[in-house]
Amino acid sequence: MVTVHGGRHTYYVVQSFSLADGGYVMDEPIEARSEEAALAVARRLAPTKAATLAFSRTGDPETGEFDDMVLIFSNGELPEYVAMTVCA
């Protein structure tokens, strides 16, 4: 879901990771309606996943300019190369 503030949109996302073939695999991202909803989903998934992140991104989809992600929740350890991919 998207929150709109003066033309800027905020997206709330939960990204979990599973272990497969000795490495981390991104699960399908889940879009949430709000920060609270993203936090609830992330907490529910965390015990069953190798790692779970909930974050928001705010920006202008028309120009493609977005602020850095804001981390809402983090559980588990991610290798640096995986974390850098998610945070890019």
Side-chain angles (χ1 to χ4, degrees):
M1 189 60 99
V2 178
T3 303
V4 180
H5 300 282
R8 291 174 48 87
H9 298 118
T10 299
Y11 298 88
Y12 301 94
V13 179
V14 177
Q15 180 64 65
S16 60
F17 298 83
S18 298
L19 289 175
D21 299 323
Y24 287 81
V25 176
M26 279 185 167
D27 298 323
E28 192 68 30
I30 300 169
E31 199 169 328
R33 294 178 187 227
S34 64
E35 182 174 331
E36 295 79 15
L39 183 58
V41 170
R43 285 182 172 157
R44 189 178 75 244
L45 288 174
T48 64
K49 299 295 181 178
T52 307
L53 302 173
F55 60 92
S56 65
R57 296 276 323 256
T58 300
D60 186 341
E62 289 187 25
T63 65
E65 293 181 23
F66 282 83
D67 299 340
D68 291 339
M69 73 172 224
V70 175
L71 190 63
I72 300 167
F73 177 88
S74 175
N75 184 69
E77 296 284 326
L78 286 175
E80 186 174 335
Y81 73 92
V82 175
M84 291 181 73
T85 300
V86 174
C87 297

